[in-house]
Amino acid sequence: METAIQTTAHPGLSSKETARKLALIEHGARLVISVAQQCGYTGPTDNLLEGKTWSELRDDMYDEMLDAIKGR
């Protein structure tokens, strides 16, 4: 999905310089997405809680935090 970036003129920047900076931002964003996909990221899902209740999710988070503290 392509999205256009809307910009406003910035005093002191030429349109060529603005285009160069936007190209760098786009390149960086593509790199981030590529690396995330290589690490197994498949995109956002509608199941953010992974089938758990808020209490179960909270308890799992606290258990992971305690394990990390104990591991220090």
Side-chain angles (χ1 to χ4, degrees), residues 5-10 12-28:
I5 299 174
Q6 296 180 0
T7 62
T8 57
H10 188 280
L13 286 181
S14 67
S15 61
K16 186 176 180 179
E17 181 69 9
T18 301
R20 184 187 74 80
K21 289 182 177 187
L22 289 174
L24 288 172
I25 291 168
E26 182 180 356
H27 178 70

Side-chain angles (χ1 to χ4, degrees), residues 17-59:
E17 181 69 9
T18 301
R20 184 187 74 80
K21 289 182 177 187
L22 289 174
L24 288 172
I25 291 168
E26 182 180 356
H27 178 70
R30 288 178 193 252
L31 285 175
V32 168
I33 292 169
S34 175
V35 169
Q37 288 171 339
Q38 289 173 10
C39 293
Y41 179 73
T42 57
T45 65
D46 292 335
N47 187 9
L48 298 176
L49 297 179
E50 299 175 349
K52 298 178 182 178
T53 66
W54 282 106
S55 297
E56 292 170 329
L57 186 65
R58 181 202 61 219
D59 292 344

